[in-house]
Amino acid sequence: MDNNRAPDDKDVLQKSFKIIRFFVQKRGTPEFDEHKAAILAELLNNIKTLADKKSPSLSKLATDPVFSILRWFLMDRDKNIRQNIIKIFRLLMECPEALQLLKTKHIYIFLARALERESKQDIFNENIQILKLLRKWIETDSKSFPKLLANT
């Protein structure tokens, strides 16, 4: 195997699902807490790779179980983890299914809550990521944009 070749979509997708399985199997363990930021960053890179290529494999990650698992991270204390998960949701919005999942999994409520928090400098980048996601949502399907977010 040539180490210089770019990984194909199948490899990236498999790595992404392996990371998601880790989150499910290890949640609540010291191993999970110790490595979640780095592993989530790796998942973000995998999804970014697929999104940059406009890969059809990206839609395999825009599923109800995956969104349920990723939603956990919106409540994390670490602002970098929340910021990365918002980036992941934004990248997954390339798939039409993702918009519906943002609504049915009530992810938009977490986003509104985050925007309503007192704006401190340390969460500024998180708010930027939320606003980028909201802009993409409006550009993609403004009719499905939740009224709660429009009022925020």
Side-chain angles (χ1 to χ4, degrees):
M1 180 183 271
D2 184 8
N3 288 337
N4 294 330
R5 75 171 179 91
D8 66 358
D9 293 357
K10 185 178 176 183
D11 292 339
V12 174
L13 191 62
Q14 285 178 343
K15 288 177 186 176
S16 299
F17 280 120
K18 185 176 179 182
I19 290 169
I20 292 166
R21 276 192 302 277
F22 170 84
F23 290 148
V24 171
Q25 294 169 350
K26 302 294 184 177
R27 184 174 176 212
T29 65
E31 181 182 8
F32 176 84
D33 292 334
E34 184 179 335
H35 299 291
K36 68 182 171 185
I39 294 173
L40 187 64
E42 183 180 340
L43 178 63
L44 173 60
N45 288 335
N46 289 345
I47 292 174
K48 186 166 178 17
T49 299
L50 293 173
D52 288 347
K53 292 186 197 178
K54 299 199 181 310
S55 170
S57 297
L58 194 61
S59 66
K60 293 180 178 160
L61 291 168
T63 63
D64 190 281
V66 171
F67 271 59
S68 294
I69 293 162
L70 296 178
R71 187 176 71 169
W72 298 338
F73 295 101
L74 287 171
M75 298 175 281
D76 200 280
R77 289 178 182 236
D78 184 343
K79 66 181 182 302
N80 293 321
I81 287 176
R82 293 191 311 266
Q83 190 175 325
N84 282 342
I85 203 66
I86 293 165
K87 286 180 189 176
I88 288 172
F89 285 131
R90 181 172 44 89
L91 291 169
L92 288 173
M93 286 176 68
E94 296 295 326
C95 311
E97 310 87 16
L99 287 173
Q100 188 62 34
L101 287 167
L102 287 172
K103 286 185 86 170
T104 59
K105 301 313 286 177
H106 305 291
I107 291 167
Y108 69 95
I109 295 172
F110 291 98
L111 300 175
R113 178 182 163 268
L115 284 173
E116 291 288 332
R117 278 192 304 229
E118 185 179 323
S119 292
K120 298 178 184 172
Q121 184 61 33
D122 63 332
I123 60 169
F124 180 74
N125 289 331
E126 180 183 350
N127 287 345
I128 288 176
Q129 290 306 319
I130 292 171
L131 293 173
K132 284 181 177 180
L133 184 147
L134 298 182
R135 182 184 67 205
K136 184 165 184 94
W137 192 335
I138 291 169
E139 290 171 350
T140 305
D141 185 12
S142 60
K143 296 208 183 295
S144 73
F145 193 74
K147 187 173 192 259
L148 173 69
L149 287 171
N151 292 338
T152 300

